Amino acid sequence: MERRYNGSAWHDRFLPRLTSAEVQALPKEEALVVLPIGAVEQHGSHLPVYTDTLLAESVLDEACKYVPERYAVWLLAPMPYGISSEHSGRAGTISLSIPTLQGVLMDIAQGVRESGFRRLLLFNGHGGNSALLNLMAREVRLKTGLMVFCLNVGGLTIEEGLITEKERLLGIHGGDYETSLIMASYPEWVREERLGAEYPRLEEHSRYLRFQNAGFAWTIDDVSESGILGDARTASADKGKLLYDRQGRQVADILMELTSFEIGKLKQQ
Ligand SMILES: [Zn+2]
């Protein structure tokens, strides 16, 4: 029988794998609990709708390879759904409403707190979730007292040369970056014969508005016919492997730092 939870992250760092008594007995002072959050939404004609959840899981999985055992980093079961309203109306998109995700996040955080933990990282694989996660991080901190952190896969540094500047700015959905990562981790999930390219004419029409800052509200129907933003034709599994390696190491460094970060020490004495 093929099993789903393979690999070191799921063997050594998957919190739900433990019994209640084992969770109770864990040292909590420095433990970091990580909630991966993804989305189920259309990703063009070549990528599965599960892409963002797979990416969040896989980057974490890679990161765990570089976290020595002494660091208490614990993964929760991934939240597969997110806020995908910008893709609503396209088949396969299943979006939570904003109040639903707010409620789910708060409930999960309460459980983390009640289990005795002090630190929670919201590890996000879908750009459409990030605004709400930042807001909710503070709400959770206020309600539970947890230290709460947010990390977006899309915000990680990509080294010069791996992805073109145009792709970096505009290739935010189903382009070179995401396609390369899925090719490297789930090659049989990619429809290689249907790799496409489409960029919105944003630079022609605005000097200031971009997806990253000076933003604007958009839905996929405003900016793309095919459902993608970016160029998937330049994607490759080799590029994906390099991206996993670089991003895994970055995330590992951040995870390790967060196990000793103390928010109570930030104020000048
Ligand atoms: Zn995506």
Side-chain angles (χ1 to χ4, degrees):
M1 181 180 156
E2 289 277 344
R3 298 190 310 168
R4 180 174 167 192
Y5 297 106
N6 281 320
S8 62
W10 309 106
H11 282 113
D12 306 330
R13 299 193 175 277
F14 191 37
L15 193 68
R17 190 183 174 109
L18 305 185
T19 66
S20 173
E22 286 167 346
V23 174
Q24 172 89 29
L26 287 177
K28 307 291 194 323
E29 186 66 15
E30 300 203 324
L32 175 69
V33 176
V34 183
L35 176 64
I37 305 167
V40 174
E41 61 181 36
Q42 76 79 25
H43 266 78
S45 54
H46 63 293
L47 288 180
V49 296
Y50 209 43
T51 291
D52 292 349
T53 307
L54 292 177
L55 289 186
E57 276 187 18
S58 309
V59 171
L60 269 176
D61 193 70
E62 183 72 17
C64 285
K65 294 180 189 162
Y66 305 106
V67 177
E69 204 185 321
R70 67 178 184 279
Y71 291 92
V73 172
W74 293 102
L75 309 186
L76 292 177
M79 254 294 289
Y81 302 102
I83 306 293
S84 296
S85 47
E86 74 274 33
H87 298 284
S88 62
R90 299 219 182 180
T93 298
I94 297 177
S95 177
L96 300 182
S97 65
I98 288 170
T100 303
L101 184 56
Q102 285 175 317
V104 170
L105 288 171
M106 189 59 81
D107 289 352
I108 292 173
Q110 298 274 17
V112 169
R113 173 73 268 193
E114 286 165 17
S115 299
F117 292 99
R118 304 176 60 227
R119 300 155 203 272
L120 174 64
L121 168 62
L122 307 176
F123 187 81
N124 178 32
H126 168 52
N129 292 335
S130 45
L132 182 65
L133 295 184
N134 285 330
L135 273 177
M136 280 308 291
R138 181 172 292 133
E139 291 297 302
V140 167
R141 166 134 190 84
L142 284 168
K143 285 237 166 61
T144 65
L146 286 167
M147 284 181 264
V148 190
F149 313 101
C150 290
L151 185 55
N152 295 303
V153 173
L156 296 171
T157 315
I158 302 174
E159 71 185 65
E160 285 299 308
L162 263 182
I163 297 281
T164 66
E165 194 50 33
K166 186 171 189 186
E167 193 69 12
R168 200 188 298 269
L169 275 174
L170 298 171
I172 61 167
H173 190 72
D176 190 358
Y177 172 81
E178 287 191 327
T179 307
S180 294
L181 287 173
I182 300 293
M183 280 176 166
S185 46
Y186 291 85
E188 66 282 15
W189 292 42
V190 180
R191 318 295 184 269
E192 297 240 10
E193 68 289 356
R194 294 195 212 132
L195 304 178
E198 182 173 349
Y199 290 107
R201 297 160 63 188
L202 191 53
E203 287 160 300
E204 268 174 61
H205 291 280
S206 172
R207 287 166 62 198
Y208 302 109
L209 297 177
R210 295 294 179 261
F211 290 118
Q212 290 75 7
N213 43 26
F216 60 108
W218 54 272
T219 73
I220 197 70
D221 294 325
D222 294 320
V223 292
S224 171
E225 197 58 42
S226 62
I228 69 170
L229 298 162
D231 190 347
R233 297 168 310 182
T234 49
S236 72
D238 284 344
K239 195 183 289 182
K241 283 181 193 140
L242 271 176
L243 284 166
Y244 272 122
D245 177 78
R246 305 299 194 271
Q247 305 218 321
R249 289 170 194 270
Q250 266 181 71
V251 170
D253 282 344
I254 297 168
L255 297 177
M256 289 188 279
E257 185 190 286
L258 295 183
T259 60
S260 59
F261 176 86
E262 289 290 349
I263 199 165
K265 293 185 178 163
L266 293 182
K267 272 187 297 192
Q268 228 172 35
Q269 293 305 312

